[in-house]
Amino acid sequence: NKPGYTAVLTAISAAVVSAILNLAWVLAGHIILPTGEWGAIDLTALAIALASVVALVIYKRQIVEVLAAACALGAAGHLLATL
């Protein structure tokens, strides 16, 4: 355990986490606000996103399960919206 290596790896880890969070923020903005205006919030996407966070953080579900459920709910919502 050399302090120099630990500091460098900590900085790299922080940069990677920052990049991932920034990408998640940008993608969430494009999905939840498809037109870029607050009046056009996609409530279905917002509900699925919030339910996914609850399933991952509170109920400790596996990412694959949550992703599959979110995809199914999104597809069902899109299908119902086109009817």
Side-chain angles (χ1 to χ4, degrees):
N1 289 339
K2 295 184 179 181
Y5 292 133
T6 304
V8 170
L9 290 176
T10 300
I12 291 171
S13 297
V16 169
V17 168
S18 174
I20 291 171
L21 288 175
N22 187 27
L23 180 62
W25 183 258
V26 168
L27 291 177
H30 285 291
I31 292 170
I32 295 171
L33 300 170
T35 62
E37 297 178 9
W38 283 103
I41 294 175
D42 186 350
L43 294 178
T44 304
L46 182 61
I48 292 171
L50 291 176
S52 297
V53 169
V54 168
L56 287 169
V57 175
I58 295 175
Y59 294 109
K60 307 289 188 211
R61 303 304 300 181
Q62 297 292 320
I63 188 73
V64 175
E65 295 173 343
V66 174
L67 186 59
C71 289
L73 288 171
H78 180 70
L79 182 65
L80 289 175
T82 58
L83 293 178

